[in-house]
Amino acid sequence: MCGRVVVLALLLCAPDWVVGESEEEVTSEWTKWKRLNEISYDEESDDVQRKTIWQSNVEIIEKNNEDFRFGLSTFTMSMNKYGDLTNVEYNRLLGARISGPVSRNGKVTSAQRLRFKAKKLALSSVDLRAQGYVTEVKDQGYCGSCWAFSTTGAIEGQMSKQTGQLVSLSEQQLVDCSRSYGTYGCSGAWMANAYDYVIKNGLERTETYPYTSADTQPCFYDESSVVARIADYRFLPAGDEQALADAVATVGPITVAVDADNPSFLFYSSGIYKESNCNPNNLNHAMLVVGYGSEEGNDYWILKNSWGTGWGEGGYMRMIRNGRNTCGIASYALYPTL
């Protein structure tokens, strides 16, 4: 379920927030933030409540950034459009959390086969953006549809790899049309269910079926406009980061789910993300792995998010890659086959 009751809102870097500002200064910054994000409230009581949430988030951000300056944190945080969200609202943004077992139906790729292929390449870093396999950063809005973006992203990569043409595919088609396959629109889904839909129906371009960030409209699927089809999909061995790296190097962009239910994730700005409170068994947000690398001896993943370019490093996150399945990045990883 890719959600608003603590107040959080797309990530745009703000000036360094200083804990201990006067009430007048806090109010001034609050006013600037609302104006910047074009946010207003009908009732004064709502404004007071949202300001309290926002100020609490400011303090969390500033505390982390102070730790970063002293070498106690590996990443920075910054205020963004999600700054006035409650925890409940934020959780609605995290659309990869559906109750029930995660069935793999025997569709698991051999880690040994991936390792054999990857060792031949001997790559210390991979950036699939540079290879033309990754479309522009998109924005799911206040809809828990991250599962749809993670699905289209991997298919876009495979289509580009096969045809040499990078085409943006329709997330809204998945949101509107795949419910009979076990998806729930803005309330989230497992990505394998979205893949099941694409196997049977294919996908249109974003241009012919544009994104609206709502799940209240009927399905407008037009088979004659389909530009992408897949034959099947494969899971990677659960929890195996080496298999995930080998797949990124030899297959392309990989659909994954992670634990994003921490303020540090919501307000991530730059650096290598490392959160001790991450739970690899609490998968709640879908993303796309598009590469990996190292910086000053610290290995990382490159993850594409669907919260716009104002979040993170231009819409991307670098997450620690340490073989310990941080945030569950390798717990639910899969990719399409054409």
Side-chain angles (χ1 to χ4, degrees), residues 33-302:
W33 178 84
K34 289 188 293 181
R35 186 181 303 120
L36 179 66
N37 294 285
E38 299 180 339
I39 291 173
S40 61
Y41 311 100
D42 294 333
E43 302 292 336
E44 183 178 353
S45 59
D46 291 337
D47 189 284
V48 172
Q49 180 195 24
R50 295 294 179 171
K51 179 183 175 183
T52 299
I53 296 169
W54 172 87
Q55 188 171 358
S56 175
N57 287 324
V58 166
E59 293 172 0
I60 291 172
I61 291 167
E62 186 57 30
K63 173 59 170 63
N64 174 84
N65 292 348
E66 182 180 4
D67 288 345
F68 178 80
R69 288 190 287 271
F70 285 100
L72 302 176
S73 176
T74 59
F75 61 95
T76 66
M77 295 166 60
S78 66
M79 179 52 68
N80 58 51
K81 72 180 182 183
Y82 299 122
D84 68 341
L85 296 180
T86 65
N87 288 331
V88 171
E89 291 167 332
Y90 174 45
N91 285 333
R92 293 188 194 128
L93 290 177
L94 307 179
R97 186 172 54 214
I98 295 296
S99 61
V102 180
S103 174
R104 280 167 165 66
N105 299 318
K107 300 180 178 182
V108 181
T109 294
S110 165
Q112 291 77 13
R113 188 174 301 171
L114 288 170
R115 185 86 282 261
F116 178 76
K117 293 179 180 179
K119 285 182 72 174
K120 287 184 175 181
L121 298 176
L123 299 174
S124 60
S125 65
V126 173
D127 190 339
L128 298 175
R129 296 171 295 185
Q131 297 183 34
Y133 294 166
V134 185
T135 57
E136 75 284 353
V137 171
K138 304 176 184 181
D139 190 347
Q140 69 190 62
Y142 294 97
C143 167
S145 56
C146 57
W147 58 273
F149 289 84
S150 179
T151 299
T152 59
I155 299 173
E156 289 165 350
Q158 289 305 302
M159 293 297 296
S160 176
K161 186 176 181 180
Q162 183 182 76
T163 69
Q165 296 183 328
L166 185 61
V167 177
S168 178
L169 300 175
S170 175
E171 292 81 21
Q172 194 64 44
Q173 181 188 341
L174 289 174
V175 170
D176 292 344
C177 306
S178 65
R179 289 178 182 269
S180 63
Y181 290 79
T183 67
Y184 299 86
C186 289
S187 297
W190 284 121
M191 292 77 84
N193 293 339
Y195 277 124
D196 286 333
Y197 168 84
V198 179
I199 290 171
K200 295 292 185 181
N201 300 277
L203 284 174
E204 295 184 40
R205 297 172 181 262
T206 301
E207 294 171 334
T208 63
Y209 205 136
Y211 188 68
T212 66
S213 74
D215 61 0
T216 55
Q217 66 186 31
C219 173
F220 295 110
Y221 166 69
D222 180 357
E223 187 175 9
S224 67
S225 297
V226 167
V227 296
R229 294 187 181 277
I230 65 173
D232 208 342
Y233 57 90
R234 290 288 181 271
F235 283 95
L236 298 178
D240 191 336
E241 281 198 65
Q242 184 61 61
L244 178 56
D246 292 341
V248 171
T250 61
V251 175
I254 305 296
T255 293
V256 298
V258 300
D259 176 14
D261 193 13
N262 288 287
S264 59
F265 190 101
L266 181 61
F267 297 110
Y268 166 81
S269 180
S270 66
I272 300 176
Y273 182 72
K274 183 179 180 181
E275 172 56 69
S276 60
N277 291 321
C278 257
N279 182 351
N281 298 312
N282 184 41
L283 304 179
N284 47 50
H285 185 53
M287 302 181 80
L288 188 70
V289 181
V290 299
Y292 60 82
S294 299
E295 181 180 78
E296 298 180 352
N298 295 309
D299 296 337
Y300 60 79
W301 297 105
I302 304 173

